[in-house]
Amino acid sequence: MSAGEPQAEQSVISCVLTSDEAAKTARSLLEPTDFQEYRHQVLYSAAQEMHQGGIPCDAVTVTQHLQKTERLLEVAPTRDEAVSYLCQTLEFPAYAKHVRYYADIVKDRSLRRQIKERLLSAAQTTDDPSIDIETLIKRPNFADLILPEQSEIKTLRQLSEAHPDLYGSLIEGILRRCEVANIIAPSKIGKSWLTYNLAHCVNAGMKWFGFKTNLGPVLIIDNELHEPTIWHRIRAVGDAMELKFDDYADAIKVWPMRGRAENVFSIGQKIDRLRERFALVILDAKYRSMPAGTSENDNASETAFYNEIDRWARSLNCAVALVHHSGKGGQSEKRVTDVGSGAGAQSRAADTHLVLREHEEPNTFVLEAAVRSFAPVEPIGLRWVFPLWVSDESVDVAKLKGGKSRVDKQAMDDQETDIEVLRICETWKNVGDIERESGGNGKPRFGKDRIRRSVERLTRKLLLDTDKQDRDRHKNVMVYRRSVRAHNPEHEATASSNGFDWSTEDGFR
């Protein structure tokens, strides 16, 4: 038995024993014979029988059921050992929400065992000793045992024929159907109000901060607010947008879930039973949809969470937007995809990140986007004018609160590199020499591209002399040495006393 398979089998049984929904999911995926260990086949069969008979599952009732059907000693040689193993399985650390994941492992191993057995049997009965595995597996008696990955792998031609076009846009330039977006901002600054505005725009087919939306029904799943608060807020935004209540009162749907023990997986099971279809589903808020015992800071939990959200999007053929909070500390210097709180998996799993960062001016923010299937998006200045977010082209999007502007930061990075290049070029050096010596400890501090840009900049300012030299492997290699016009950067970074000014074109005031 392969590594991890006994644990996967026990995990499935633990899920099935403790959850009716998990039992239904497993029943659609697995037969008892898919379990390699016979005692697991016995326990799985008993658990499914009990669920279908409406019998509650616990250590006592399962033991009684196994005794009644004379299968208890098929689990272990003695009654005490059987009960002990049953209790161990019931306490196995598995979440019912992961039953599909565990079942896929069990099914995959079952298919592989069956293929191996049939291959061995076919190899023993064939008259041709040179026949290969690929030829054997194409025989009719293997048709029911195609591994999932074999059926899912497609040629580029098959993909192009099946999907001649990209998924249709929901928000042009921002988000497509079947994609997932994170809407991220600090707590209590108006993320939800931003999504109400988005919901109204999609429902009415209006532009959202200049981005065209494609009209479609919207579902808001809200697990934070009381019902009266939800509808009063959404109406306040509609009134501010000068929309008639009757035009959206029956079109925007709300699923209030505050106070219910609903997580992303239990909601997903209910979504599977929905008869309606939506263009956009907004989940507000992500943190309240995490299953008990899991953490946003755990990559495995985040991966499972987003896999389920992806399934929602495919099931409903819609876009899904998650309202999420930013991490602690300053956010101005972080990449857009790193602003959201939690493990790195959440930054990679979402197709679109929409991030609100605080501006230097009060009640002013910068909306930035990182998109997967569109061209890059320029930042947008927004002002909070209750109850609406209003775009304002006069906002300098570079002036983020608590951080340097992008221009200032780039200038500082350039200055840092230039100082190091001039320090190194006491004698003639080529770009490779400069890169190797930039770390000072044998490990390069700057990449070759950054060094090249610095060399070009300093050469243009006549702060580096140029020449060509023959090296061991190459002839006429371009080399550089600090010009007498340049100050000594080791002593004075800005060299104000020597008259050197990094902001001017030639380096002198």
Side-chain angles (χ1 to χ4, degrees), residues 39-265:
R39 59 181 172 179
H40 293 163
Q41 295 181 20
V42 173
L43 288 174
Y44 178 75
S45 297
Q48 291 289 13
E49 290 165 10
M50 294 176 69
H51 278 294
Q52 290 182 294
I55 305 170
C57 291
D58 56 41
V60 174
T61 57
V62 176
T63 301
Q64 290 175 341
H65 185 76
L66 288 171
Q67 284 181 318
K68 183 179 178 180
T69 57
E70 299 182 348
R71 288 179 290 175
L72 185 62
L73 296 185
E74 294 177 0
V75 176
T78 68
R79 183 186 185 283
D80 288 345
E81 288 177 318
V83 172
S84 176
Y85 190 75
L86 172 60
C87 291
Q88 175 190 332
T89 302
L90 278 165
E91 295 172 0
F92 206 75
Y95 296 108
K97 65 185 178 64
H98 287 156
V99 67
R100 188 181 296 272
Y101 172 79
Y102 302 129
D104 283 344
I105 296 174
V106 174
K107 190 68 176 180
D108 178 75
R109 298 299 186 270
S110 174
L111 287 170
R112 292 177 187 277
R113 286 195 304 275
Q114 293 177 62
I115 287 175
K116 182 177 179 180
E117 290 167 3
R118 292 193 194 181
L119 280 173
L120 289 172
S121 175
Q124 291 171 355
T125 58
T126 183
D127 296 328
D128 183 0
S130 64
I131 194 167
D132 60 18
I133 290 176
E134 291 220 2
T135 302
L136 287 172
I137 207 168
K138 289 177 182 177
R139 291 184 173 184
N141 63 325
F142 284 93
D144 62 322
L145 292 179
I146 300 300
L147 291 176
E149 58 265 33
Q150 291 175 302
S151 63
E152 291 172 2
I153 293 176
K154 296 177 175 62
T155 66
L156 194 58
R157 185 182 302 281
Q158 288 172 320
L159 285 176
S160 67
E161 291 172 351
H163 306 283
D165 301 308
L166 290 167
Y167 288 126
S169 296
L170 180 75
I171 312 170
E172 297 286 352
I174 296 288
L175 185 65
R176 299 182 185 278
R177 285 179 180 262
C178 297
E179 290 188 340
V180 176
N182 284 339
I183 298 178
I184 301 168
S187 299
K188 307 301 181 186
I189 62 92
K191 296 187 293 294
S192 296
W193 297 93
L194 186 75
T195 62
Y196 304 151
N197 181 245
L198 174 60
H200 279 299
C201 288
V202 171
N203 180 68
M206 299 167 58
K207 285 188 176 181
W208 188 62
F209 303 130
F211 295 95
K212 179 185 174 184
T213 66
N214 288 304
L215 184 148
V218 179
L219 172 65
I220 300 174
I221 303 174
D222 192 302
N223 52 27
E224 280 197 319
L225 303 178
H226 294 292
E227 293 185 14
T229 308
I230 296 172
W231 89 260
H232 276 89
R233 279 182 165 211
I234 296 174
R235 175 154 191 179
V237 173
D239 289 347
M241 295 173 68
E242 299 182 349
L243 298 172
K244 293 181 180 179
F245 182 66
D246 288 342
D247 289 344
Y248 61 83
D250 300 311
I252 295 178
K253 305 294 177 67
V254 179
W255 199 343
M257 288 194 177
R258 175 167 172 154
R260 304 182 194 178
E262 299 281 8
N263 59 51
V264 66
F265 297 96

Side-chain angles (χ1 to χ4, degrees), residues 374-425:
F374 294 96
V377 178
E378 291 297 319
I380 301 171
L382 299 181
R383 296 194 188 276
W384 175 234
V385 185
F386 180 85
L388 284 182
W389 287 95
V390 181
S391 61
D392 186 344
E393 293 182 359
S394 70
V395 173
D396 184 349
V397 297
K399 293 183 177 180
L400 297 177
K401 183 178 180 180
K404 304 176 184 66
S405 72
R406 286 172 174 75
V407 175
D408 291 342
K409 187 176 184 303
Q410 185 62 55
M412 291 186 66
D413 288 346
D414 291 347
Q415 177 176 317
E416 181 184 30
T417 314
D418 292 351
I419 289 173
E420 184 70 358
V421 169
L422 289 173
R423 182 191 67 79
I424 292 168
C425 290

